[in-house]
Amino acid sequence: MTRITQDMETAAVLKAVREADGYYITNTARDMSQSDYKNRILLHTDLMAAKAREAAGYFSLEITGGASVHVDILRKQVDPFLKLELLREAMPNTMFQTLCRGVNLFGYRPYPQNVIRFTVKEFAKYVDVWRTFDFMNHIPNMQAVFEEVAKAGKINEPCICFSTGPEHTNEYYVKKVQDILDVTGEEITLCIKNHGGLGTPRRIGELVDAIKQAYPDIIIHYHGHNTDGNDVGRIVEAVINGAKIVDASDHAFTGFYGPPPILTVIQTLKDLGKTAVGIDEEAVIASSDVIRDERQHYAQFESQIKGFQPTVQIHKLPGGAMGSSLEQAVKGGFLDKMPDILHKELPKVQKELGNYWSVTPGSQILWTTAVSNVQNGRYESPSGDLKNLLLGKYGPFPFYQPADWIYEKVFGENWKTILEEEGGIDDIEDMDIEQERETLAERLGSEPTEQQLVTYLQHPNDAVNFFKFEEKFGKSYVLPPSIFLRQGGFDLGESISFRDHSGKEHMLEVGPVQKNDDGETNVYLNVDHHERVYVFEPELVEGTQAVVSLSKEEIEELATAGDIRAPFGGNVSAINVKEGQEIAEGEQVMVLEAMKMQTPVISEVAGVVKSISAKVGDALKLGDKLVKIEVS
């Protein structure tokens, strides 16, 4: 039996998989983290598991991609490239895998072609298997990634995103596979991406069989989620019908919305005479044993609703969106409305918007639309991303167009003209990467590395904040979750001892806290017997700035007078005007981002921009001042 290693040529890997008497396993640790822990599993935990995972003999370890690149810098304070470097040192043989959103890369919006190619080129230095998908199954949206992966000599794994409904037939998917092969050639692995854990085992078996009958030599990699508790059954049927690679993860951390346990898959298929090629079961067990005690520190990120959800077959939310949606419901105070949103409104919206595939960024569009419909009235407050979907900016609807009344509700009575003039995929101009490099250097005060530039091009504000944080505080990824994720703070004089992922022992002692005359706070720490002092800016005292409290109606009324306010809480993603600029009614002045969705802010009046009260990266509250326009 042949173990796959990362130093093998692509052709040798594919030959070994085709000829193997059995199936291979991918450990989808990244997907487990995103689906069941809101992407919060730290590098420290992955490094603890690295030795055992390396010995386990997996086809690949999915350890980056999806939303993890963003959350690495936003919440976990670790450079996504450094993470891959350290894991490669600990796992020299195992192929690393990523999940790439095609034209959206590791973000939430379409990027220029030169940014896509630059990003893939840099990540391909560490990533061996590129699982690439598009939520509309629109092949041109993935083509640039396919081409760059092939140039780098890595494995292309295009996806057909799977869902259910009368339109989702074997004939449709078999034809889509041919569309992919026409672009990539035959030297690929093909992923059936069942991101929601949809359909029955029998349905998945039938689909695998149909594809294998049409393309006998194709390598099928089945990926699913265990939201309804039934993905082991789907995996079994996939393997019996010819799938050569399947996804699962470490049983100590598997939850409800991500992949099922690896060991359960192995044990179930073994009884059916199917062998997991190259797998060391003792190492699989050891992976869970070494990290089991870490799980308690991640409890705060597990789902607010425990238990499997067979109703996923109704609402179709994928695992990654399921956890974050529940978190947003808690923060937004509408958790009690979740049954109506999930089981009534969301299925209705899904059908109304074309029954496409509920995966990023399409799942966010469906989710935010359903939430807005329940809270504000049906299609009364459309997001910018919903408008872009209806305009065909993400690609053509695969089965049928939404009804005319939805277009009229979203765009107004002139919707046909708007659709005719603005519809279709935008030809996004290449970005001036050298200019962006200069801008980043100016913001950092030093010349950025290529890797820093790649991260910045996808998530500009969060990347800069992370780089500055790391420059000030050092590399905090060495902290275990018991410290990094500790709730409630630390007591003065408290001593904390811990071992890092390499076994080295460290000691932290919390020293005094002092405030100077300027209100700055000095925090003293002893780190491995070396004193460190950290200075924090004064906190804004409540009452020093008036808290804006405006109703939706008041914000709309102010807009008609040229006083544009934030229509919701979010971050400033882009500013499209300058002071002194003349603008027309209906012109875009700013873009706000919230819940991964970007929404344009439009001027209700014509006039001259007198002042701009926000800057890119600002976190705004409902009613905050944005732009003041002198009405002409």
Side-chain angles (χ1 to χ4, degrees), residues 435-504:
Q435 179 59 56
E436 294 300 318
R437 189 194 304 275
E438 291 179 15
T439 300
L440 178 57
E442 184 177 333
R443 294 181 70 176
L444 294 180
S446 61
E447 192 68 23
T449 65
E450 295 294 279
Q451 295 175 353
Q452 285 179 318
L453 182 57
V454 164
T455 306
Y456 170 78
L457 289 173
Q458 291 176 88
H459 306 289
N461 297 314
D462 293 328
V464 169
N465 291 338
F466 164 70
F467 298 143
K468 289 183 176 180
F469 173 93
E470 193 170 66
E471 182 181 14
K472 182 175 182 179
F473 296 107
K475 299 189 183 300
S476 58
Y477 73 84
V478 298
L479 295 172
S482 58
I483 296 176
F484 193 97
L485 301 175
R486 177 167 165 174
Q487 296 177 290
F490 300 89
D491 297 326
L492 182 64
E494 182 175 354
S495 293
I496 306 145
S497 297
F498 71 95
R499 291 183 183 276
D500 64 23
H501 54 269
S502 64
K504 182 179 179 181

Side-chain angles (χ1 to χ4, degrees), residues 410-565:
V410 171
F411 295 108
E413 59 184 18
N414 294 324
W415 67 270
K416 289 184 179 179
T417 302
I418 293 172
L419 186 61
E420 183 178 337
E421 293 178 351
E422 302 179 24
I425 296 176
D426 290 330
D427 184 14
I428 304 174
E429 292 185 8
D430 277 355
M431 186 176 287
D432 187 338
I433 291 179
E434 291 310 309
Q435 179 59 56
E436 294 300 318
R437 189 194 304 275
E438 291 179 15
T439 300
L440 178 57
E442 184 177 333
R443 294 181 70 176
L444 294 180
S446 61
E447 192 68 23
T449 65
E450 295 294 279
Q451 295 175 353
Q452 285 179 318
L453 182 57
V454 164
T455 306
Y456 170 78
L457 289 173
Q458 291 176 88
H459 306 289
N461 297 314
D462 293 328
V464 169
N465 291 338
F466 164 70
F467 298 143
K468 289 183 176 180
F469 173 93
E470 193 170 66
E471 182 181 14
K472 182 175 182 179
F473 296 107
K475 299 189 183 300
S476 58
Y477 73 84
V478 298
L479 295 172
S482 58
I483 296 176
F484 193 97
L485 301 175
R486 177 167 165 174
Q487 296 177 290
F490 300 89
D491 297 326
L492 182 64
E494 182 175 354
S495 293
I496 306 145
S497 297
F498 71 95
R499 291 183 183 276
D500 64 23
H501 54 269
S502 64
K504 182 179 179 181
E505 191 162 339
H506 301 274
M507 189 276 291
L508 302 175
E509 186 175 5
V510 181
V513 177
Q514 297 178 344
K515 285 191 176 182
N516 60 26
D517 293 340
D518 296 327
E520 291 180 334
T521 301
N522 297 305
V523 177
Y524 293 82
L525 294 176
N526 276 321
V527 181
D528 290 342
H529 308 291
H530 295 281
E531 186 177 273
R532 305 279 182 89
V533 182
Y534 297 101
V535 181
F536 294 87
E537 297 295 325
E539 291 186 10
L540 182 65
V541 178
E542 190 173 349
T544 57
Q545 182 174 332
V547 177
V548 178
S549 179
L550 297 173
S551 67
K552 178 182 177 182
E553 291 73 21
E554 289 172 323
I555 291 173
E556 291 174 350
E557 186 176 344
L558 286 169
T560 62
D563 185 357
I564 303 176
R565 304 296 184 99

Side-chain angles (χ1 to χ4, degrees), residues 27-129:
N27 185 331
T28 45
R30 191 280 317 164
D31 203 354
M32 176 178 65
S33 175
Q34 182 164 331
S35 297
D36 287 312
Y37 302 93
K38 302 179 179 69
N39 246 320
R40 296 308 208 284
I41 293 180
L42 303 179
L43 173 59
H44 187 282
T45 299
D46 285 322
L47 286 168
M48 285 182 64
K51 182 178 179 181
R53 285 175 175 169
E54 168 77 350
Y58 298 120
F59 171 79
S60 60
L61 174 72
E62 188 193 84
I63 200 61
T64 189
S68 73
V69 173
H70 187 208
V71 180
D72 280 348
I73 61 173
L74 183 65
R75 301 287 182 228
K76 297 190 288 186
Q77 305 304 321
V78 63
D79 188 307
F81 287 99
L82 177 62
K83 178 175 80 171
L84 291 169
E85 288 176 12
L86 294 174
L87 284 168
R88 174 54 69 217
E89 290 175 11
M91 305 179 68
N93 292 312
T94 303
M95 291 202 300
F96 289 164
Q97 181 172 305
T98 189
L99 179 69
C100 180
R101 297 163 176 164
V103 72
N104 300 303
L105 288 173
F106 307 123
Y108 317 103
R109 60 185 175 86
Y111 292 96
Q113 290 286 299
N114 64 336
V115 172
I116 294 171
R117 295 178 185 278
F118 181 35
T119 300
V120 174
K121 182 180 177 181
E122 285 300 311
F123 270 94
K125 295 174 182 177
Y126 306 93
V127 177
D128 308 289
V129 182

Side-chain angles (χ1 to χ4, degrees), residues 378-396:
R378 305 204 77 232
Y379 299 101
E380 292 290 344
S381 300
S383 69
D385 293 276
L386 172 59
K387 292 178 179 179
N388 285 336
L389 175 78
L390 294 172
L391 289 170
K393 301 300 182 186
Y394 297 102

Side-chain angles (χ1 to χ4, degrees), residues 181-197:
L181 294 175
D182 288 344
V183 173
T184 64
E186 297 181 356
E187 289 299 284
I188 63 168
T189 58
L190 174 78
C191 179
I192 296 176
K193 183 171 169 53
N194 189 6
H195 38 271

Side-chain angles (χ1 to χ4, degrees), residues 326-402:
L326 290 167
E327 183 178 40
Q328 291 162 8
V330 170
K331 291 180 178 178
F334 57 89
L335 188 62
D336 60 315
K337 296 181 180 178
M338 283 296 279
D340 282 345
I341 294 171
L342 289 176
H343 304 148
K344 296 179 182 178
E345 186 60 26
L346 193 51
K348 191 182 298 183
V349 167
Q350 182 124 38
K351 291 180 181 178
E352 289 171 348
L353 296 184
N355 198 20
Y356 66 77
W357 296 269
S358 182
V359 64
T360 305
S363 53
Q364 281 88 349
I365 297 173
L366 294 171
W367 162 252
T368 53
T369 301
V371 171
S372 177
N373 285 359
V374 168
Q375 293 187 313
N376 304 315
R378 305 204 77 232
Y379 299 101
E380 292 290 344
S381 300
S383 69
D385 293 276
L386 172 59
K387 292 178 179 179
N388 285 336
L389 175 78
L390 294 172
L391 289 170
K393 301 300 182 186
Y394 297 102
F397 285 94
F399 304 119
Y400 55 85
Q401 291 278 128

